[in-house]
Amino acid sequence: SFSRTIYVGHRPCPDTEAFIPSKFCDNRIVSSKYTVWNFLPKNLFEQFRRIANFYFLIIFLVQVIVDTPTSPVTSGLPLFFVITVTAIKQGYEDWLRHKADKEVNKYPVTVLEDGRSVKKESEKIKVGDVVEVVEDETFPCDLILLQSSREDGTCFVTTASLDGESNHKTHYTVPDTEKDLQALTATIECEQPQPDLYKHNLPFLSLGPENLLLKGATLKNTKKIYGVAVYTGMETKMALNYQGKSQKRSAVEKSINAFLLVYLCILISKAVVCTTLKYVWQSKEGQDEPWYNQKTQKEKDSNMYLKMFTDFLSFMVLFNFIIPVSMYVTVEMQKFLGSFFITWDKDFFDPEIQEGALVNTSDLNEELGQVEYVFTDKTGTLTQNNMEFIECCIDGFQYRYRDTQSELDGFTVTDGPVNKLQQKKEELFLRALCLCHTVQVKEAGSEVLADQVDGIDGLLLQPEEERGFIASSPDEIALVKGAMKYGFTFLGLESKSMKIKNRQNDIEEYKLLHVLNFDPVRRRMSVIVQTTSGETLLFCKGADSSIFPRVRPEEVDRIRMHVERNATEGYRTLCVAYKQLSAEEYAMADTGLREARLALQDREEKLMAMYNQVEMGMSLIGATAVEDRLQEEAAETMEALQGAGMKVWVLTGDKMETAKSTCYACRLFQRGTELLELTVRTLEDERLKRDEKLHELLQEYHRKAVQDAPPVKAGVTRSWSTANQDYGFIIDGATLSLVMNPPRDADASQYKSLFLQICQNCTAVLCCRMAPLQKAQIVKMVKNSKGSPITLSIGDGANDVSMILEAHVGIGIKGKEGRQAVRNSDYAVPKLKHLKKLLLAHGHLYYVRIAHLVQYFFYKNLCFILPQFLYQFFCGYSQQPLYDAAYLTMYNICFTSMPILAYSLLEQHTSIEILLDNAALYREIANNAMLRWHPFLYWTVLGIFQGLMFFFGVRFLFSNPALQDNGQVFGNWSYGTIVFTVLVFTVTLKLALDTRHWTWINHFVIWGSLAFYVFFSFFWGGIIWPFLKQQRLYFVFANMLSSVSAWLVIIILILLSLLPEILLVVLRKPRGPHSRQVYFSLPFPLLSLNSSFLPYPSYFLIFSLIYILFCSSFILHHVLTRCDVTQSQPITRYLKLYSYVKQWLVSLLVAGLH
Amino acid sequence: MKNEGEAAKRPDNTAFTQQRLPAWQPILSAGIVIPSFLLIGLAFIGIGIGLFLTSQTIQVWEMDYTGFEKDSPCFRCTILSNQNCTCEVTFSLSTLFSVKSSYFPSDCSPYAYDSEKNPIVPCGAIANSIFNDTFELYQIINGTKKQVPLDGKGISWWTDYNIKYRNPSSVNSSFAKSFDGTVKPINWPKPAYELDLTDPNNNGFLNQDFLVWMRRAALPQFRKLYRRITDGDYAAGLPAGNYSLKVHYNYPVLSFDGRKKVVFSNVSWMGGKNDFLGIAYLVVGSLCVVMSVVMLVVYAKFKFSDDDDDA
């Protein structure tokens, strides 16, 4: 059915024939994904939906099922590790969700049942229950307001957690209901639940949205209300609007997946080549089944195509190390551990809130280095949301508030005389400030609102009189408080009468006749009040542009100067005017306004016309300047971001003027910036309709900003130039929705692309009067535009949540507006200024680190597995592994994993200070520069070159396998071990070449891994392992080291493999400002050392490691081979060499230490 | 308490957490690379010359005795030769010896059991296909043959002989009894305990030839050590003269297009003759020297232009 019938209090309506208790869902909220029972299967299913995991699972299964050259453990163990860690992490997160759900569901609520109040758990509320809610509680479900403790049948709510609007909204009780709720019998018919927050259809009893209280909203300023539950649990608007936090994937991960596909292709083609060649080779006579390797009966019986397929799978398994599961582990670890540096950074620590940065997801660290668009909220993010009355100008004289010691209660004229007339004007102005607003006073005695933290001294206010103000706009409060500072206190509005206390502490009373509400087109508001003496006065305040035409021109010039100066200083300015209405005038206005309000058709237009008519011929009293203080270093931060090539867009729900002044204040707009304005105001045109005008303006701006702009140089992807005309773009919410959804659908895509092109060519864009969803819409639009740029949203309030969730990276500011933004963000910092270091230093470094990590991982596995592939050509495609199983398994886990992990955590190719000082450095890594196809190709070619080098270098050596001086020959495991040794040393030294920042950790892991490799090889080959059936590597390594030729080939192959890399590093001309900076900052030409670091420990470490290596290899070799006569010869030579090297090392050490 | 909690939230101000660990920041500048390239180059050229000269002094004589061709001496399975060679005898085989079952360590299939399900010892395809040609070398002095003693000791790795491979302990002081219940590999003429009838200590798994064979070659063309000439009159090397090598020709290779070679060679500190290493060192060494010169030129040019920029 399309509607639901609700029986209030479950009492059947007398006029309906039967009471049918219908089934509605209960009030339980479920945001968790798993239960105890389905966790394992569901989680595993989700994890194996990832390509990489699925691939490794397949490889593992193949290894289990098919006869393969390597053990299933080699790929099963790492996979198991990855899956388990992820499952634990996700399980923990879901447990937290369960906990949060439970907290909501078990929250105690009071329900009226048969005349009694019954305490219940929130989840037990049923549709039709009458629920009691007290002040500052959130509504447990969607309610229809039946009764309020306020006399006028209203209640105030704030929907901050729903849509971010923190102002107080008035809701009304259902009219004409019985006061006695016990006796109330009613049915409510309403629509089936739907998610749109702003669309309500409650046809019966003519209920409207003003009667509906939404779950999640908070009751304010009202002691108690009763309401009947209409939507519960997952059917509430909030639950229907709840979108789970979608998994954000970084651009790096996308690159990894692309590279993965390339490597998968390489892998498959390798397997195909080997399989094909195997069967080609076997088809030759005598090679299929030589006498020395006859087939079993089973082999003979099996189908040839099946055999080919299993061979193919075996080759796949043999080469599968080219796509290393350990890369995913290392990337995860790098991200997880790396994110600690953000939390640890003491520069992010804010002593005020005693908190540092918070990392909610570590998946996006590197994305911080790739940001192209920054979407920032204004209030609370760019500004402190801390309005302060700075100064005013009354009748052309400037008044600036000084400390209370100065005369006139601190109200000081800084220029100009003070006389009686002036004082009268002054008081009129202050009265206007006190009266012309829609501020409500929060009753004394209740807790002080957060807005009241202004520096108002207690001189004027007795403690018991301390009051909070509630208004939809914080500058209204600032004005009222400003007036209070100067002696006029607004006491409140009670039954249409406003009370103010003047300087003489007398209470003045005004009757509020009309409020001419603020609207963005008129950009002013007015009140009409009647004094006790019967005078009718109209006070009007508004933007200068909307007030000046409506006052006497001779008054304007005196004030305009002040207003303009204030505006360029970044203050929000308002002009105040007044007019005395004669009785006739008022009567006319009164009837006009009443008629317009009651008009059934064109009410808006009629009201507007009436307002315009009333607000005419006023006289200007003065102007105010209110400062919304910028966040610390807001301007510097914005400048740095722009210098780094990022485009900053300000998305705010605020008015255009204030937003514009903020943009000027934080230097997003500068003096030379030409503003392109696309707002409701510029769309107003007598000749054209709105959409036509929109079309015209879009075309015009496009011509200006895009077509006439000099073409962007090829290669320079970010159009950033200081020489050209800067454009700033301003659009408001209403116009934006017109752009997005024009009357004619055909224009939609054209408008959108025009709009995007204009915006992309502007240095800064300001979007004002945005609804939260519109913010997300804009982010989404930019995100999906050509080239899919990386976006970042930063905000502090609940209204920024949507854009924080939408952007690639969401940053929350731990501001005053609650924790909503922080909870939904990916990273949270205490202040806006921290964004600079987060992006320019951390983001940059993380990107460089992880990009290098990814490329290095692919490279080192390519040159690891290429020799194995080449070896197949020399072993009859028999899937004989080149390396021992231990080496195959340990290569990625132990021998080469730690140096790259340390690199990817500690590397600073450029120091943090330089990164922060030169924002332009950020542009060097723009557009995923280190993970594009070009560098990938470079690394791949390098890997192939080195792989070929390793294999063929050793192959030429093995053209005569008699490599020992006693003529004994080396076998295939020696071959593999030599290749492997060269491999491990080369890839580790390659990383050492790339390391620009050698901390002791880097030294430790790089030299440590090499030493570990040597030790492990000795150890592994030095013992007969009881669990191994074949002791393949038994003494292979030690024997290898006893051959001079093996040593020599290892040394030359390592050098030859690294030669191109060294040449490239040397011959690459240092470019850009930073290289010069680096060279400048390091005055030593040969071996530059950080001055704070003693060079000796590092030398000592290196030498001692080499020394230990030598001694140990000698001792092991000596001990294990001592009693053989035929091998005594190498030992004596060894001894000689050893003592020689020892002497040399010791003398060097001694020299070094002195 | 509260203060403590707040203080705990403050990040540690240590060098590590603030990413300010003292660090060495090396720069591969031309100033360090050019001299080191020159040094490395010169050192490599030195080593290369040494290697090359050593390799040149190693004498090698080899002979294909597969007997494929009609006129080949091995067609009769004997060769007559008048080469003045020195002391080491090796043989060379040219076959493709990939042993598929090798990748399953426990699996000797299809050479684990015979048709009666008796275990084969030693099992596996490698053991089954052991090289079984034998050679006798004679020096021909004035028409009479004088046998050159061939030393079969220590041709396998010491560890293979002494640790890795162990014979089963004798049953009732009979070594052969310990192999009861097993059968010999299909292609072997004799069981493992009768491999060397002349030397009881060279039987079973501890037969030197068997061990050499079991150390599987890396490449399809491989050579293995057969015997050393170390004893008697020939301890200093084979004097110039005519020699005759008697080959007991058992090992079939023609079915898979294999070739067999016998190689006489001496060894040096670098092992057998191998010109590759010497040439490689010479090439890389001179490459390094050339590079250092090129770099010097480039660097000088770059530096001058840089100075111009600054000026």
Side-chain angles (χ1 to χ4, degrees):
Chain A
S1 68
F2 292 102
S3 63
R4 48 164 70 186
T5 312
I6 294 149
Y7 300 91
V8 176
H10 308 293
R11 281 178 291 273
C13 219
D15 44 330
T16 49
E17 51 281 14
F19 169 54
I20 315 149
S22 31
K23 278 270 179 199
F24 301 114
C25 73
D26 60 9
N27 199 30
R28 188 197 302 267
I29 289 282
V30 183
S31 64
S32 54
K33 248 161 73 182
Y34 309 108
T35 62
V36 177
W37 309 112
N38 72 6
F39 174 73
L40 209 64
K42 201 172 170 186
N43 183 263
L44 284 183
F45 174 72
E46 298 222 328
Q47 286 204 47
F48 284 118
R49 275 190 355 195
R50 282 180 74 180
I51 310 170
N53 286 347
F54 186 68
Y55 163 78
F56 293 120
L57 181 71
I58 294 290
I59 290 289
F60 175 68
L61 290 179
V62 168
Q63 275 180 313
V64 171
I65 296 162
V66 185
D67 281 4
T68 53
T70 50
S71 149
V73 179
T74 51
S75 63
L77 204 69
L79 182 66
F80 179 74
F81 177 74
V82 174
I83 296 290
T84 314
V85 167
T86 317
I88 288 172
K89 189 178 144 208
Q90 289 181 350
Y92 174 69
E93 281 170 359
D94 205 55
W95 179 71
L96 289 182
R97 278 195 288 269
H98 270 287
K99 234 173 74 173
D101 285 352
K102 207 170 159 189
E103 202 175 301
V104 172
N105 290 335
K106 300 288 179 202
Y107 190 81
V109 292
T110 315
V111 175
L112 280 191
E113 253 175 25
D114 305 325
R116 288 171 296 117
S117 303
V118 183
K119 283 268 175 200
K120 268 190 177 182
E121 284 167 351
S122 168
E123 60 179 356
K124 301 258 170 67
I125 294 177
K126 291 189 292 291
V127 170
D129 279 349
V130 177
V131 183
E132 179 190 311
V133 182
V134 296
E135 187 168 7
D136 290 329
E137 259 185 358
T138 54
F139 302 114
C141 57
D142 292 354
L143 300 169
I144 293 285
L145 180 59
L146 294 177
Q147 214 176 67
S148 164
S149 65
R150 289 178 77 95
E151 284 164 16
D152 49 359
T154 58
C155 73
F156 295 100
V157 300
T158 161
T159 52
S161 63
L162 288 176
D163 55 9
E165 293 177 29
S166 56
N167 60 339
H168 291 219
K169 292 187 184 122
T170 318
H171 285 247
Y172 300 92
T173 51
V174 180
D176 313 322
T177 48
E178 278 187 62
K179 288 287 164 238
D180 183 10
L181 285 177
Q182 268 70 51
L184 177 69
T185 321
T187 58
I188 297 168
E189 242 172 83
C190 57
E191 271 198 338
Q192 290 300 333
Q194 49 165 295
D196 193 336
L197 268 183
Y198 299 103
K199 194 174 169 193
H200 311 278
N201 265 328
L202 300 155
F204 200 68
L205 248 177
S206 66
L207 299 178
E210 71 273 9
N211 306 118
L212 184 67
L213 306 170
L214 297 178
K215 177 182 172 83
T218 314
L219 184 66
K220 288 282 177 194
N221 222 10
T222 312
K223 291 230 166 54
K224 188 154 79 168
I225 61 117
Y226 290 99
V228 58
V230 284
Y231 301 114
T232 49
M234 297 310 282
E235 289 179 345
T236 55
K237 296 263 181 207
M238 188 182 86
L240 291 171
N241 263 290
Y242 174 81
Q243 339 151 276
K245 226 171 131 185
S246 62
Q247 193 67 42
K248 290 181 182 178
R249 288 169 69 216
S250 72
V252 168
E253 207 181 321
K254 283 171 203 154
S255 296
I256 294 178
N257 282 343
F259 297 164
L260 199 77
L261 281 180
V262 173
Y263 271 67
L264 204 64
C265 291
I266 294 178
L267 172 67
I268 290 172
S269 57
K270 274 181 177 178
V272 167
V273 164
C274 281
T275 317
T276 320
L277 287 176
K278 176 174 181 160
Y279 282 87
V280 169
W281 183 72
Q282 284 189 351
S283 68
K284 278 200 293 180
E285 209 184 328
Q287 301 295 11
D288 184 29
E289 196 183 359
W291 60 266
Y292 58 82
N293 194 14
Q294 276 155 358
K295 290 176 180 171
T296 54
Q297 198 57 42
K298 206 177 128 204
E299 277 179 306
K300 282 175 191 160
D301 292 344
S302 56
N303 181 295
M304 174 159 144
Y305 293 103
L306 190 72
K307 264 199 303 185
M308 274 169 111
F309 185 64
T310 52
D311 271 330
F312 171 75
L313 290 182
S314 298
F315 279 120
M316 287 278 283
V317 170
L318 187 68
F319 303 141
N320 90 82
F321 295 92
I322 200 170
I323 300 172
V325 71
S326 63
M327 182 175 79
Y328 286 85
V329 183
T330 314
V331 166
E332 289 291 317
M333 271 168 65
Q334 190 269 348
K335 287 182 171 183
F336 177 71
L337 297 175
S339 63
F340 280 112
F341 284 120
I342 294 179
T343 14
W344 283 337
D345 196 325
K346 71 173 163 51
D347 292 352
F348 293 157
F349 184 77
D350 188 53
E352 219 173 277
I353 58 169
Q354 287 289 321
E355 268 180 87
L358 178 78
V359 179
N360 286 331
T361 169
S362 55
D363 289 344
L364 300 168
N365 292 345
E366 68 279 359
E367 208 85 331
L368 295 172
Q370 288 294 305
V371 176
E372 286 177 65
Y373 285 87
V374 174
F375 298 95
T376 162
D377 177 40
K378 187 190 70 71
T379 320
T381 307
L382 286 177
T383 64
Q384 296 179 343
N385 199 13
N386 200 348
M387 303 290 171
E388 207 174 334
F389 188 91
I390 292 297
E391 63 173 44
C392 60
C393 150
I394 303 169
D395 208 22
F397 298 109
Q398 188 191 5
Y399 289 72
R400 187 176 268 270
Y401 178 69
R402 293 228 181 100
D403 277 336
T404 40
Q405 278 80 8
S406 44
E407 45 193 313
L408 289 174
D409 292 320
F411 196 43
T412 318
V413 186
T414 53
D415 53 353
V418 185
N419 52 36
K420 258 287 177 267
L421 183 73
Q422 183 64 26
Q423 200 158 346
K424 217 178 154 200
K425 280 244 173 167
E426 226 177 270
E427 288 187 352
L428 181 69
F429 177 79
L430 291 173
R431 280 194 187 98
L433 289 189
C434 276
L435 294 172
C436 183
H437 55 71
T438 52
V439 174
Q440 286 163 348
V441 175
K442 189 171 166 69
E443 273 90 357
S446 48
E447 68 174 292
V448 181
L449 270 191
D451 321 21
Q452 223 195 351
V453 291
D454 268 25
I456 311 164
D457 46 290
L459 278 179
L460 293 162
L461 289 168
Q462 301 307 310
E464 65 267 19
E465 280 183 289
E466 223 167 65
R467 65 199 65 219
F469 295 108
I470 301 161
S472 52
S473 148
D475 35 6
E476 284 206 314
I477 296 174
L479 289 179
V480 171
K481 284 184 177 166
M484 200 152 82
K485 270 195 276 192
Y486 302 140
F488 279 79
T489 312
F490 175 59
L491 294 176
L493 171 70
E494 264 169 46
S495 51
K496 298 262 170 196
S497 121
M498 292 172 113
K499 281 185 194 159
I500 54 175
K501 187 162 74 176
N502 63 14
R503 281 181 180 164
Q504 287 75 41
N505 273 347
D506 298 330
I507 307 280
E508 295 175 18
E509 218 168 292
Y510 295 88
K511 197 172 167 210
L512 181 63
L513 299 171
H514 281 286
V515 177
L516 285 64
N517 277 323
F518 180 87
D519 69 72
V521 181
R522 230 167 86 244
R523 301 196 300 158
R524 58 183 183 270
M525 66 132 343
S526 308
V527 289
I528 302 177
V529 292
Q530 196 171 35
T531 59
T532 35
S533 54
E535 270 181 300
T536 312
L537 292 171
L538 178 138
F539 291 108
C540 179
K541 70 168 194 264
D544 47 9
S545 54
S546 67
I547 296 281
F548 287 163
R550 304 183 168 270
V551 296
R552 283 191 284 277
E554 66 271 15
E555 296 165 338
V556 170
D557 295 331
R558 281 183 291 170
I559 291 186
R560 173 174 281 149
M561 192 184 72
H562 287 280
V563 171
E564 278 173 359
R565 201 197 56 227
N566 284 339
T568 49
E569 279 167 5
Y571 298 140
R572 304 157 162 239
T573 55
L574 284 176
C575 291
V576 181
Y578 93 108
K579 165 166 132 178
Q580 199 158 6
L581 294 172
S582 65
E584 300 85 60
E585 274 176 317
Y586 172 68
M588 225 173 71
D590 186 45
T591 46
L593 285 168
R594 274 174 207 282
E595 267 172 24
R597 280 210 183 100
L598 293 174
L600 293 173
Q601 281 169 340
D602 303 326
R603 186 161 61 188
E604 293 290 311
E605 283 87 50
K606 280 180 182 161
L607 263 180
M608 200 66 68
M610 201 56 226
Y611 287 165
N612 284 340
Q613 195 189 325
V614 175
E615 292 162 342
M616 272 308 265
M618 302 179 286
S619 60
L620 192 62
I621 331 170
T624 58
V626 170
E627 186 185 24
D628 186 0
R629 266 206 221 126
L630 288 183
Q631 291 278 4
E632 284 169 64
E633 294 173 35
E636 289 85 344
T637 308
M638 289 300 128
E639 227 165 23
L641 295 188
Q642 287 196 328
M646 286 175 247
K647 299 233 168 81
V648 182
W649 292 34
V650 179
L651 308 184
T652 175
D654 214 331
K655 292 189 290 270
M656 193 188 101
E657 285 72 28
T658 44
K660 206 159 91 182
S661 64
T662 311
C663 283
Y664 273 112
C666 53
R667 285 177 239 162
L668 284 172
F669 292 158
Q670 281 165 357
R671 215 167 272 275
T673 310
E674 188 180 336
L675 295 182
L676 310 175
E677 209 174 297
L678 200 65
T679 55
V680 175
R681 196 161 51 120
T682 54
L683 287 188
E684 274 199 346
D685 195 295
E686 281 105 47
R687 297 174 294 115
L688 294 164
K689 275 199 264 170
R690 266 165 55 142
D691 50 319
E692 283 165 356
K693 178 76 180 171
L694 174 73
H695 187 81
E696 199 186 276
L697 277 176
L698 274 175
Q699 294 286 4
E700 185 195 324
Y701 292 158
H702 186 259
R703 205 166 43 242
K704 258 193 199 168
V706 182
Q707 289 164 2
D708 294 349
V712 180
K713 262 187 245 156
V716 183
T717 39
R718 287 179 187 208
S719 49
W720 161 264
S721 49
T722 41
N724 296 326
Q725 171 69 48
D726 279 348
Y727 290 102
F729 191 73
I730 303 175
I731 190 167
D732 64 3
T735 320
L736 181 75
S737 59
L738 204 63
V739 171
M740 302 295 243
N741 310 302
R744 281 176 301 157
D745 285 344
D747 298 331
S749 59
Q750 191 207 350
Y751 281 6
K752 251 189 186 175
S753 80
L754 280 178
F755 171 65
L756 258 179
Q757 283 179 26
I758 297 168
C759 290
Q760 282 164 353
N761 276 298
C762 291
T763 43
V765 176
L766 166 64
C767 304
C768 43
R769 286 262 157 234
M770 291 278 140
L773 269 176
Q774 276 182 315
K775 291 184 177 183
Q777 227 177 352
I778 289 211
V779 175
K780 194 171 183 175
M781 187 174 72
V782 173
K783 200 169 94 173
N784 295 334
S785 70
K786 204 170 125 250
S788 38
I790 307 294
T791 55
L792 176 142
S793 292
I794 178 163
D796 71 323
N799 57 338
D800 306 316
V801 169
S802 60
M803 75 172 182
I804 284 175
L805 287 175
E806 183 66 46
H808 291 99
V809 189
I811 301 208
I813 290 202
K814 297 177 169 178
K816 290 176 186 159
E817 289 188 32
R819 289 272 147 157
Q820 205 83 354
V822 173
R823 260 205 301 278
N824 287 289
S825 64
D826 304 310
Y827 300 89
V829 287
K831 287 271 166 64
L832 177 78
K833 64 174 178 181
H834 299 137
L835 192 62
K836 182 179 168 188
K837 191 177 180 190
L838 189 66
L839 296 186
L840 296 190
H842 285 283
H844 191 136
L845 288 178
Y846 282 127
Y847 176 74
V848 170
R849 289 166 184 174
I850 201 151
H852 199 274
L853 166 77
V854 169
Q855 299 278 26
Y856 179 76
F857 243 98
F858 279 112
Y859 145 81
K860 84 178 163 104
N861 282 290
L862 182 64
C863 57
F864 172 47
I865 231 63
L866 189 66
Q868 176 125 297
F869 167 68
L870 294 169
Y871 189 58
Q872 297 308 307
F873 295 89
F874 296 88
C875 72
Y877 315 99
S878 60
Q879 295 135 24
Q880 168 71 39
L882 178 62
Y883 316 111
D884 182 62
Y887 284 160
L888 279 175
T889 317
M890 304 275 280
Y891 176 71
N892 274 316
I893 297 175
C894 301
F895 301 145
T896 59
S897 63
M898 290 318 283
I900 183 65
L901 185 64
Y903 174 94
S904 66
L905 288 173
L906 302 169
E907 173 67 354
Q908 292 174 29
H909 65 296
T910 313
S911 77
I912 291 179
E913 286 75 29
I914 294 173
L915 284 176
L916 285 178
D917 290 346
N918 301 290
L921 289 180
Y922 192 82
R923 274 183 261 165
E924 288 188 358
I925 54 159
N927 287 318
N928 211 359
M930 291 177 70
L931 286 173
R932 314 212 117 231
W933 290 109
H934 183 258
F936 176 67
L937 197 70
Y938 166 73
W939 282 92
T940 309
V941 168
L942 188 74
I944 291 174
F945 164 74
Q946 296 191 349
L948 290 172
M949 216 55 150
F950 303 155
F951 183 79
F952 285 107
V954 183
R955 195 232 159 289
F956 285 124
L957 182 78
F958 266 65
S959 56
N960 183 356
L963 293 172
Q964 305 228 52
D965 53 0
N966 56 12
Q968 291 177 354
V969 291
F970 279 173
N972 68 324
W973 297 119
S974 302
Y975 189 105
T977 305
I978 295 176
V979 173
F980 194 76
T981 308
V982 178
L983 171 76
V984 169
F985 274 82
T986 307
V987 296
T988 308
L989 291 177
K990 155 77 181 142
L991 189 70
L993 274 181
D994 290 341
T995 305
R996 289 271 154 280
H997 191 78
W998 285 83
T999 63
W1000 64 267
I1001 300 173
N1002 293 89
H1003 281 294
F1004 181 73
V1005 292
I1006 285 183
W1007 311 124
S1009 315
L1010 292 180
F1012 174 74
Y1013 166 68
V1014 174
F1015 273 117
F1016 175 83
S1017 298
F1018 269 120
F1019 186 58
W1020 186 244
I1023 295 174
I1024 297 281
W1025 295 98
F1027 56 88
L1028 290 179
K1029 291 271 163 53
Q1030 285 190 351
Q1031 311 292 334
R1032 290 164 164 175
L1033 283 196
Y1034 187 67
F1035 253 73
V1036 164
F1037 192 76
N1039 254 320
M1040 180 189 89
L1041 289 190
S1042 71
S1043 160
V1044 183
S1045 296
W1047 275 92
L1048 289 175
V1049 87
I1050 288 170
I1051 290 167
I1052 196 170
L1053 285 181
I1054 292 170
L1055 187 92
L1056 207 56
S1057 306
L1058 292 176
L1059 202 62
E1061 185 69 21
I1062 297 171
L1063 284 181
L1064 217 70
V1065 171
V1066 176
L1067 293 182
R1068 190 182 287 148
K1069 193 179 165 181
R1071 270 174 306 162
H1074 77 291
S1075 46
R1076 192 158 295 182
Q1077 290 260 352
V1078 170
Y1079 284 113
F1080 180 72
S1081 65
L1082 300 162
F1084 308 102
L1086 290 184
L1087 200 66
S1088 310
L1089 291 163
N1090 196 317
S1091 57
S1092 64
F1093 182 52
L1094 284 170
Y1096 296 117
S1098 72
Y1099 285 127
F1100 183 75
L1101 208 77
I1102 299 167
F1103 283 129
S1104 52
L1105 268 167
I1106 295 172
Y1107 181 77
I1108 290 167
L1109 224 134
F1110 240 96
C1111 295
S1112 56
S1113 61
F1114 166 74
I1115 291 166
L1116 262 163
H1117 189 77
H1118 180 72
V1119 167
L1120 293 167
T1121 62
R1122 61 184 180 281
C1123 39
D1124 186 50
V1125 191
T1126 53
Q1127 296 203 338
S1128 59
Q1129 220 181 339
I1131 287 175
T1132 48
R1133 191 171 331 106
Y1134 233 132
L1135 252 171
K1136 233 187 245 167
L1137 188 69
Y1138 158 76
S1139 56
Y1140 209 77
V1141 170
K1142 199 174 87 176
Q1143 262 179 15
W1144 177 68
L1145 278 175
V1146 166
S1147 62
L1148 228 126
L1149 274 178
V1150 168
L1153 287 172
H1154 284 289
Chain B
M1 280 307 282
K2 204 184 167 198
N3 280 333
E4 274 175 37
E6 280 170 354
K9 277 187 190 168
R10 180 184 289 274
D12 291 343
N13 188 12
T14 60
F16 176 68
T17 57
Q18 302 309 315
Q19 304 195 61
R20 289 186 195 286
L21 278 179
W24 176 52
Q25 292 168 319
I27 286 173
L28 270 182
S29 63
I32 189 167
V33 172
I34 294 171
S36 53
F37 258 56
L38 199 66
L39 278 177
I40 291 173
L42 292 175
F44 271 35
I45 288 173
I47 296 173
I49 290 170
L51 279 169
F52 192 72
L53 291 180
T54 313
S55 185
Q56 290 304 307
T57 58
I58 299 174
Q59 289 165 300
V60 177
W61 174 84
E62 60 180 46
M63 166 84 193
D64 190 324
Y65 73 98
T66 320
F68 184 65
E69 296 85 12
K70 278 258 161 53
D71 58 334
S72 138
C74 236
F75 203 61
R76 311 184 308 274
C77 294
T78 34
I79 47 163
L80 290 162
S81 143
N82 50 357
Q83 192 71 32
N84 58 335
C85 214
T86 44
C87 67
E88 186 109 7
V89 183
T90 28
F91 60 85
S92 162
L93 263 179
S94 159
T95 61
L96 215 45
F97 256 86
S98 56
V99 183
K100 193 178 174 193
S101 59
S102 64
Y103 52 73
F104 258 111
S106 60
D107 192 4
C108 290
S109 166
Y111 299 101
Y113 297 97
D114 71 353
S115 48
E116 273 91 47
K117 300 284 168 206
N118 292 314
I120 298 172
V121 173
C123 73
I126 307 176
N128 183 44
S129 57
I130 191 170
F131 184 76
N132 52 4
D133 283 3
T134 52
F135 304 89
E136 286 164 33
L137 184 64
Y138 300 97
Q139 188 181 17
I140 302 171
I141 305 165
N142 303 328
T144 54
K145 282 182 177 174
K146 182 188 174 194
Q147 184 159 17
V148 179
L150 301 177
D151 176 16
K153 284 207 178 77
I155 56 171
S156 69
W157 286 16
W158 185 87
T159 47
D160 284 356
Y161 188 79
N162 289 293
I163 301 164
K164 190 171 166 183
Y165 289 87
R166 296 286 81 185
N167 267 328
S169 49
S170 301
V171 177
N172 299 333
S173 70
S174 162
F175 183 52
K177 282 258 174 63
S178 59
F179 285 84
D180 273 359
T182 64
V183 293
K184 66 175 179 62
I186 296 154
N187 290 341
W188 287 22
K190 297 174 283 186
Y193 48 85
E194 288 172 7
L195 277 175
D196 190 351
L197 295 171
T198 57
D199 181 1
N201 289 329
N202 197 24
N203 275 310
F205 298 113
L206 293 184
N207 177 273
Q208 291 276 1
D209 292 319
F210 172 70
L211 293 180
V212 168
W213 187 253
M214 287 307 278
R215 183 145 294 280
R216 193 177 345 141
L219 298 168
Q221 287 199 16
F222 59 90
R223 54 175 93 181
K224 296 210 163 198
L225 187 57
Y226 179 68
R227 291 290 182 267
R228 267 183 255 250
I229 303 171
T230 51
D231 296 337
D233 302 336
Y234 302 98
L238 290 175
N242 293 332
Y243 293 88
S244 131
L245 186 76
K246 190 176 170 191
V247 179
H248 297 273
Y249 196 103
N250 299 316
Y251 200 77
V253 291
L254 289 176
S255 65
F256 50 88
D257 297 333
R259 311 291 285 182
K260 296 194 284 189
K261 268 183 191 172
V262 63
V263 181
F264 291 80
S265 167
N266 55 352
V267 290
S268 70
W269 55 271
M270 60 173 284
K273 186 181 178 77
N274 193 348
D275 289 342
F276 159 74
L277 212 51
I279 292 170
Y281 264 86
L282 284 175
V283 168
V284 174
S286 34
L287 206 70
C288 284
V289 173
V290 171
M291 284 297 172
S292 64
V293 173
V294 170
M295 262 188 285
L296 194 68
V297 172
V298 171
Y299 180 66
K301 212 169 173 186
F302 160 68
K303 211 182 166 191
F304 289 138
S305 67
D306 204 42
D307 288 346
D308 289 346
D309 286 350
D310 291 344

